[in-house]
Amino acid sequence: MLSRLLGEYLLEEHLVTPEQFRRVLDRAASAKVKIGTLAINAGYMAAAQVEEVHELQKTRDLRFGDLAVEKGYLTDAQLQELLHTQSKEDLLLGQSLVEEGLFSWGRFEAILRDYREKNAIDEKQFEAIRRGDVEALVWILFRGRNVLKQQFFVKYISLFLRNVIRFLDAGASLVPETADTYGDFPHVTIQLFKGKVPFFSAVAAKEDVFLPLAARFAGEKMERFDAFAQASIAEFLNLVNGLFAVNCSHEGVEMDLLPPFTEQNVGVGGDLEIVRVPVGTNAGVFTLFVAPETPRSLLRKLEGGH
């Protein structure tokens, strides 16, 4: 998460080229080992136990290590040992930049200071992002925007990104908005919530972005973005929204989900205050949309198609 954020900053400042950025991200990603893999390597967990915990994450919004401790597969001490084994992402990115011959360590440290100053990120916030605290990142990126008036939506965006990282791309992160987050989209998967706080969420992208993500989630090889691939994206959105509905229920807010569906060539307009959340992955950028109700432009499209 932090590696991609810093990488996006390097691109914005024209300190690296897109091709150099891809190489650096690939190198940094390959150097970071997941907790489950580390647990197997240390002899603390069996492969079947790791798979069991991964499956549990589809129904419970908890980190891998916390679930493993709850199940009795890891002790608190073992988990802390494994967490310390993982290198900090900013150091991994710096190491990759140095190994690629792009910067010296001194130059990278200066860039890191500039990044924090320009984004007004203090030491406490930076450490939170280092730890993978997604909600801290959402608060930083959306500060000053109306979405922050709704803790409800901050929680939803945080939950969504956590599950993108868990099930679609471990290196995913939020990225700055571009012109691509507005206008028409070739594929939009949509789901509506009904209840005390009705709202709509959707994910939109081009086929070449959605296809590898759909294949990753389904655990199947896919050659084209067909009905099976569309169903995989819809299933992922439904998984996230189901977890969110459960979390809301625990807080006394009951939510009902309508079945997700996919539309082609949908314009997600600006006639409501829609929250646009671009998500960067190795496959490319896709956009999450969240709004208190379904945008009128989208409703017109759906009414015209049914």
Side-chain angles (χ1 to χ4, degrees):
M1 183 170 69
L2 181 56
S3 292
R4 190 173 294 278
L5 281 175
L6 292 174
E8 292 288 345
Y9 175 73
L10 294 174
L11 285 172
E12 288 174 15
E13 297 295 314
H14 304 290
L15 297 171
V16 297
T17 66
E19 178 57 34
Q20 289 170 333
F21 177 39
R22 282 191 292 272
R23 290 203 309 269
V24 167
L25 273 185
D26 288 344
R27 185 186 287 266
S30 65
K32 184 177 181 180
V33 183
K34 292 184 177 181
I35 292 295
T37 303
L38 291 172
I40 293 172
N41 186 61
Y44 294 154
M45 292 179 67
Q49 293 172 331
V50 169
E51 288 300 319
E52 179 187 349
V53 173
H54 281 313
E55 285 301 309
L56 279 174
Q57 286 186 298
K58 294 182 179 180
T59 58
R60 300 184 62 192
D61 180 29
L62 289 175
R63 294 185 182 185
F64 179 94
D66 294 332
L67 276 173
V69 170
E70 182 182 295
K71 293 287 294 182
Y73 297 150
L74 290 176
T75 66
D76 287 326
Q78 288 170 337
L79 175 59
Q80 292 307 312
E81 176 191 328
L82 297 176
L83 289 172
H84 283 301
T85 303
Q86 286 185 312
S87 299
K88 293 179 178 178
E89 284 190 74
D90 54 310
L91 297 182
L92 282 174
L93 183 66
Q95 175 181 290
S96 300
L97 288 165
V98 171
E99 289 176 351
E100 286 285 331
L102 299 174
F103 301 121
S104 66
W105 273 111
R107 174 64 174 141
F108 177 69
E109 289 174 354
I111 290 171
L112 198 59
R113 286 195 299 272
D114 290 343
Y115 169 76
R116 290 179 52 186
E117 289 174 4
K118 288 184 178 180
N119 290 279
I121 300 174
D122 61 29
E123 184 65 32
K124 184 177 179 181
Q125 292 170 327
F126 192 69
E127 285 301 320
I129 299 174
R130 267 179 165 168
R131 294 194 307 270
D133 187 335
V134 172
E135 192 159 333
L137 172 62
V138 174
W139 277 104
I140 291 168
L141 293 183
F142 285 88
R143 73 182 143 216
R145 293 176 54 175
N146 287 337
V147 65
L148 292 186
K149 296 177 181 178
Q150 297 284 346
Q151 175 71 14
F152 186 81
F153 288 117
V154 173
K155 288 183 177 179
Y156 178 80
I157 294 167
S158 301
L159 173 70
F160 183 89
L161 182 56
R162 282 196 296 272
N163 283 281
V164 171
I165 293 170
R166 287 168 182 163
F167 300 116
L168 302 185
D169 184 343
S173 182
L174 305 186
V175 296
E177 284 191 33
T178 67
D180 292 338
T181 59
Y182 295 82
D184 295 337
F185 292 86
H187 297 281
V188 182
T189 299
I190 306 150
Q191 190 161 36
L192 307 180
F193 286 81
K194 289 196 171 184
K196 185 176 180 180
V197 188
F199 77 101
F200 120 99
S201 69
V203 288
K206 297 177 181 178
E207 288 187 3
D208 59 347
V209 175
F210 264 161
L211 183 59
L213 298 177
R216 173 73 183 276
F217 185 69
E220 301 279 351
K221 186 176 181 180
M222 297 182 184
E223 300 293 340
R224 56 194 179 88
F225 195 69
D226 54 14
F228 179 44
Q230 291 177 20
S232 179
I233 295 295
E235 184 182 349
F236 171 73
L237 184 62
N238 189 63
L239 180 150
V240 173
N241 291 346
L243 285 171
F244 188 67
V246 170
N247 289 350
C248 288
S249 179
H250 289 163
E251 296 180 6
V253 179
E254 296 302 325
M255 308 285 288
D256 290 322
L257 281 173
L258 298 183
F261 56 94
T262 298
E263 291 284 333
Q264 276 73 44
N265 301 314
V266 173
V268 184
D271 51 1
L272 285 177
E273 190 176 2
I274 304 172
V275 179
R276 295 167 173 82
V277 186
V279 180
T281 71
N282 287 333
V285 177
F286 71 88
T287 304
L288 165 69
F289 296 94
V290 186
E293 56 184 292
T294 309
R296 291 189 294 276
S297 59
L298 181 55
L299 279 175
R300 286 195 294 271
K301 163 74 177 180
L302 298 179
E303 289 168 354
H306 291 288

